[in-house]
Amino acid sequence: MVNINKMHWSAAHWAEEIERRLSETDRQAPIVNTDSQDTRDFDAIFIGGGAAGRFGAAYLRAMGGRPLIIDQWPFLGGSCPHHACVPHHVFSDVAAQLLLERTFSGKLWFQDMNNKTISILEIIEMFRRGRTGPHAFMNYQSKEQLDLEFVLGCPATIVDAHTVTVDDRIYHANNIVLATGSRPKKSTVSNGNLKGVYDHVTLVDHLDYEPGSTAVVIGSGKTAIEYACFFNATGRRTIIVSRNPPLANIPDGDTRLYLMTRMMEQGMEFLEASELLAIDGDPEDRVKSVRILTPSGEISIATDFVFTALGQRPNSELAAHALGVKVDAKGFVEIDSRMHTSIPHVYAVGDVVGRPMEMFKARKGGMYAARNIMGEEAHYHIGDYPDFMHTHYEVCWLGLGEEEARKHYHNVVVLKLPPDNPDGENVALPAGDRMMLYAMMKPKLSGFQKLVIDGSSRRIIGAFHVGSGAKDGFQYLAPMVRRGLTVDELGEMDELFLNPSYFIQLCRLRAGSKNLRGM
Amino acid sequence: MVNINKMHWSAAHWAEEIERRLSETDRQAPIVNTDSQDTRDFDAIFIGGGAAGRFGAAYLRAMGGRPLIIDQWPFLGGSCPHHACVPHHVFSDVAAQLLLERTFSGKLWFQDMNNKTISILEIIEMFRRGRTGPHAFMNYQSKEQLDLEFVLGCPATIVDAHTVTVDDRIYHANNIVLATGSRPKKSTVSNGNLKGVYDHVTLVDHLDYEPGSTAVVIGSGKTAIEYACFFNATGRRTIIVSRNPPLANIPDGDTRLYLMTRMMEQGMEFLEASELLAIDGDPEDRVKSVRILTPSGEISIATDFVFTALGQRPNSELAAHALGVKVDAKGFVEIDSRMHTSIPHVYAVGDVVGRPMEMFKARKGGMYAARNIMGEEAHYHIGDYPDFMHTHYEVCWLGLGEEEARKHYHNVVVLKLPPDNPDGENVALPAGDRMMLYAMMKPKLSGFQKLVIDGSSRRIIGAFHVGSGAKDGFQYLAPMVRRGLTVDELGEMDELFLNPSYFIQLCRLRAGSKNLRGM
């Protein structure tokens, strides 16, 4: 067990090391990177080096403290580059690209996509090879640029609130930060373990055959819809089975309708108020069909490929057992606004503390834990946040949808593109980056956007965007909206035309009026 | 000459009307949309209904005034949807799409693009058919939603500062707003009128043959580079001839280097410190070659396709002649900060008043003219603004580049992705929307980003992004940066991961430290 602290591996070297370790099944010695010349106690051991643990450790280090990260994977970054955000985005890029290619199949230079089914396996294998890149970069950045100490490639055993062991090494610290993440909930129906039943983790880790012509997706949340659109874009019949209506997370009716219409045009099938009853297998223990209870009775669908997206469970068991930290009914670790658990010196951050299971919350949780550990009194209140998901499109939103706004404000003004007009969505606006071919040739596909405004205070109270390229902007719009951004202030900003969101210019067209009108 | 004011045409109806008028070469009666029941004088006649005139008129109308727009085209929106922003963005989308298809040619589901040359003519013809969509929408929106009055399809004759005639109609107003735009400068070399020599206007209006295997682009500004990347992406040898270095408009060396490296990898050729000496024609008056003076002597390049992007000239002659408005040495109309010209009651906005020839400046100029006409004292100071252009990538920037920052600040801190590291650009970050396949398979193509920070005040003083999806964000970042946005404030924002720009998380990784360090 060599300490690599004095070695300076490049990202390429890290990639080789990580690939080697991931391909070997035997238990391996941990990768130890600790500074033996630093005689200080660790201020905190972060159990888990994903988004929350790594950012927490980096922040603590920047404050002058001494963190140690322990992770069972041979890389930092956690599930994001391995199973979650990165593959989600790869598959969503593929879906956007294939929507374009299918829409313009045989036109201009586009290849003929009629009846063409794209290999899911090849795309997964491409991702499996490619994910080592972000892994390696995380390790490189963490060690060489962030000066972090870590022990990777072996699970940690928590002894008490100050002591953790890895392999046969013992690490002491003033505090422990639980950043152990979450894992997909498994379906409770029988035969959920048949070959051909996947969630977002097992899909990228274990798929080893080409799925047939029908994909069945169980769930209605972000992950279910994102993966369903990917499967659909590959040319497969895709059926979404859910108890709840899809897109319920998007708080605006027009936006949901635009998205649903586009998904149904692509042939996606939705079985709502329905649930998976059973999965039936063939003699080789492979899925051959699913039985679904729908409002009109039980149906059976022949398929060799089932994807479940039923939410996440916290990885809190070991910490709860070893330390006795209080968890809620679902197992999520309970914390206060300083990220502190029920046990002195034990903090928890990231997915293991519950929703929202978003990157910003994980990373900022880590940051706030670090501040508190280093003696600041720092409270993290999540509050309103901008949100996004992907269908074949990028979808972003913040604040109130029109329906909710009308419940709270008597003078709601809506600016939207396309506006209500006799041609509906068949008008050429909006037209933004990566949507231009649609705008020219198939305008109803070029996106949808909407601002919800309190006409009395002239404040923006909601924003919705379907298309491409608005996500970055929503990050910066959100704090401005929280501070009271008005139509008039937006109308004074400098648009970078053709801006993906037309919010600035839509506001400017109406801002001259004392009595705001919709459009 | 029917007044259509009481008719309510749909966008589809407008499209038919516009297409008919554009396809007929005879002089036609104007499209008159004036409200004969409104007995008020016009507060202003906007000569030109492009970005500046249309937004000015809309703002004036919203303020309760009565504007009239006169435009010789049968549509509102001006050169943007007809010749400029819209086709630029169509071609840039095509370039981005083709870079992806060429990079992954024959891999995954991508078609084989080896030695494949894409038709420029087909893409231009697609745009020519498609541009009627935005035109029609502008007319629909202007009449039905913005309640604007206009006379389209005939040129205006300015009689005096209160009087304009169209055909045989006379219009009076309290003020005139000149919004007559600009046109491309023509090359002064002999034979500049041969068939095969185009600028961004004549290309989309007149191209009627398939360009051969070599494109020669004259110029080094945004338009030259954007079109050159498009021609290159179609599979043609593309040679850029310029006196000045390309990308000089982007004020950061790292960013320029990243872009130049990518363009040269795609085979683009740059002849710097060079100029077009002559264009030689064949017996049918078609371009057959160009002669270029380079630092190492005169060379000749065989080509049937020359694209010039030499800047813009103002359309100010008629107004200068009719009204005597003062113009500068280049013919741009001189205005004060209230958009007022040297002649009482005459305002000017948009390209005709000079640089920057950007959408926000045109539209906001119109808005400020409207305010002043309606009796407000409103001064428009353009100040710092965010900017962008396209190569095969979307490129955005604001503030100071690193080199300039180091001249003005003693403690400049730079955060960038990829950072300086032993593998250079061959690391998997950044990775954002529409860049994921690059990040997985060809990471050096996945983009570049950089924040320039004054380490002492911790303020952001510059931002640069190469990739996709950052343009909207730069619109909102810009006013925050002007107001003093710090690393600490950025680090507290909620990123929508994988955000195209990693500015928030890069700041958070360093923000814990009192003494900011680069990365």
Side-chain angles (χ1 to χ4, degrees), chain A residues 463-484:
Chain A
F464 298 84
H465 190 275
V466 177
S468 182
K471 209 199 258 183
D472 247 34
F474 271 69
Q475 300 176 145
Y476 309 125
L477 261 183
M480 292 196 276
V481 166
R482 270 199 297 270
R483 279 178 221 131

Side-chain angles (χ1 to χ4, degrees), chain A residues 30-347:
Chain A
I31 301 167
V32 176
N33 164 41
T34 53
D35 182 356
S36 51
Q37 280 157 339
D38 192 333
T39 56
R40 295 177 295 167
D41 287 342
F42 288 111
D43 292 288
I45 294 174
F46 290 80
I47 315 278
R54 197 176 84 94
F55 269 68
Y59 204 89
L60 194 147
R61 185 69 165 182
M63 290 181 82
R66 189 179 185 203
L68 177 71
I69 299 172
I70 300 177
D71 200 294
Q72 60 188 333
W73 274 323
F75 55 84
L76 295 164
S79 61
C80 159
H82 208 58
H83 295 135
C85 332
V86 174
H88 285 11
H89 279 75
V90 169
F91 304 148
S92 293
D93 267 17
V94 168
Q97 171 69 15
L98 287 171
L99 178 67
L100 189 78
E101 293 195 33
R102 291 191 186 280
T103 302
F104 299 115
S105 168
K107 297 190 179 114
L108 300 172
W109 70 90
F110 288 94
Q111 64 180 317
D112 183 358
M113 295 291 283
N114 272 333
N115 301 314
K116 198 172 268 190
T117 304
I118 304 302
S119 169
I120 291 176
L121 183 60
E122 266 185 38
I123 294 166
I124 301 272
E125 287 173 339
M126 176 271 293
F127 166 70
R128 254 180 232 150
R129 288 188 299 272
R131 68 180 166 184
T132 317
H135 294 156
F137 186 82
M138 293 291 105
N139 286 10
Y140 173 81
Q141 184 194 59
S142 300
K143 182 172 182 304
E144 304 302 328
Q145 301 190 299
L146 303 175
D147 305 320
L148 295 180
E149 296 174 75
F150 49 73
V151 178
L152 302 180
C154 262
T157 303
I158 301 171
V159 178
D160 61 35
H162 300 284
T163 315
V164 177
T165 63
V166 181
D167 231 13
D168 54 359
R169 297 208 166 198
I170 303 174
Y171 296 95
H172 293 286
N174 298 325
N175 301 277
I176 283 180
V177 184
L178 304 172
T180 45
S182 64
R183 61 188 183 277
K185 267 189 211 156
K186 297 288 178 193
S187 170
T188 54
V189 304
S190 60
N191 281 338
N193 291 321
L194 286 176
K195 184 177 175 72
V197 183
Y198 297 97
D199 56 38
H200 74 268
V201 169
T202 55
L203 179 73
V204 297
D205 277 350
H206 301 315
L207 185 77
D208 61 357
Y209 70 100
E210 190 58 53
S213 60
T214 301
V216 174
V217 174
I218 314 293
S220 62
K222 283 184 184 185
T223 304
I225 298 297
E226 290 174 352
Y227 279 72
C229 288
F230 164 52
F231 302 146
N232 162 268
T234 65
R236 287 169 175 80
R237 182 183 182 201
T238 301
I239 303 161
I240 294 97
V241 178
S242 64
R243 292 186 194 166
N244 304 315
L247 306 179
N249 53 328
I250 301 176
D252 181 75
D254 282 344
T255 307
R256 286 195 301 271
L257 180 62
Y258 183 87
L259 290 167
M260 280 303 292
T261 309
R262 296 290 88 78
M263 287 194 288
M264 294 179 76
E265 279 171 359
Q266 293 303 311
M268 291 172 70
E269 298 169 46
F270 294 87
L271 296 176
E272 283 182 51
S274 299
E275 64 184 294
L276 178 65
L277 285 180
I279 302 174
D280 298 316
D282 69 9
E284 282 88 43
D285 280 345
R286 291 175 309 208
V287 172
K288 68 168 188 183
S289 65
V290 291
R291 274 176 284 153
I292 311 289
L293 183 60
T294 76
S296 46
E298 186 179 323
I299 62 169
S300 174
I301 302 168
T303 183
D304 68 350
F305 186 63
V306 178
F307 181 83
T308 66
L310 305 168
Q312 295 286 109
R313 291 177 59 85
N315 295 324
S316 62
E317 294 86 347
L318 289 177
H321 183 258
L323 297 169
V325 292
K326 201 170 161 192
V327 299
D328 70 12
K330 292 179 173 172
F332 292 104
V333 176
E334 296 190 352
I335 54 166
D336 61 19
S337 61
R338 300 180 70 180
M339 321 308 290
H340 199 272
T341 69
S342 63
I343 302 295
H345 302 291
V346 180
Y347 295 78

Side-chain angles (χ1 to χ4, degrees), chain A residues 364 368 433 472 492 494 501, chain B residues 364 368 472 492 494 501:
Chain A
K364 286 173 73 174
Y368 277 82
D433 293 285
D472 247 34
E492 288 283 350
D494 299 330
S501 81
Chain B
K364 287 174 72 175
Y368 277 82
D472 248 33
E492 288 284 350
D494 299 331
S501 81

Side-chain angles (χ1 to χ4, degrees), chain A residues 442-456:
Chain A
K442 210 71 162 164
K444 71 178 178 179
L445 292 174
S446 77
F448 175 77
Q449 43 193 270
K450 182 174 185 175
L451 277 181
V452 183
I453 299 159
D454 168 26
S456 304

